[in-house]
Amino acid sequence: MSDHGGRRGQAERDAITVEIGYALCSAAFLAAVVCGAVVGPVFVFDVPDGVRRAVLAVGAAIAVVLFVARVVSVLMRFRPGAQPSQPGRTRPDS
């Protein structure tokens, strides 16, 4: 909620929606790239089925952990209604 105790305005709700979308998209991209980097060589080289399954499992696990970590880290940094810093100002209330 906002600092004055009221309900969130439309601009704050829109900012939260955009931030959630950014968190999900960037997390999905990161997970896909890392999973592809880990699992990709298995499809390029001839490896036994046991190794293939193990690498696929490890790649999927890493992707899930990175996805969750990215979403949490992006959303924890987001503060709705926080004003960006203004260069040249010495105090927040100036």
Side-chain angles (χ1 to χ4, degrees):
M1 288 206 212
S2 60
D3 291 336
H4 60 277
R7 300 183 76 158
R8 289 191 171 133
Q10 185 63 40
E12 282 184 330
R13 289 194 308 267
D14 290 346
I16 291 168
T17 302
V18 168
E19 196 68 18
I20 290 169
Y22 169 72
L24 293 173
C25 289
S26 66
F29 179 76
L30 175 67
V33 167
V34 171
C35 185
V38 170
V39 176
V42 169
F43 294 110
V44 174
F45 302 109
D46 188 26
V47 295
D49 285 338
V51 173
R52 181 182 305 253
R53 276 188 247 122
V55 171
L56 288 172
V58 168
I62 291 171
V64 169
V65 169
L66 286 177
F67 181 87
V68 171
R70 177 67 180 164
V71 169
V72 168
S73 70
V74 169
L75 294 181
M76 291 299 289
R77 287 184 297 166
F78 179 67
R79 291 181 292 155
Q83 188 175 15
S85 64
Q86 299 175 353
R89 305 286 176 126
T90 58
R91 295 187 313 254
D93 58 345
S94 62

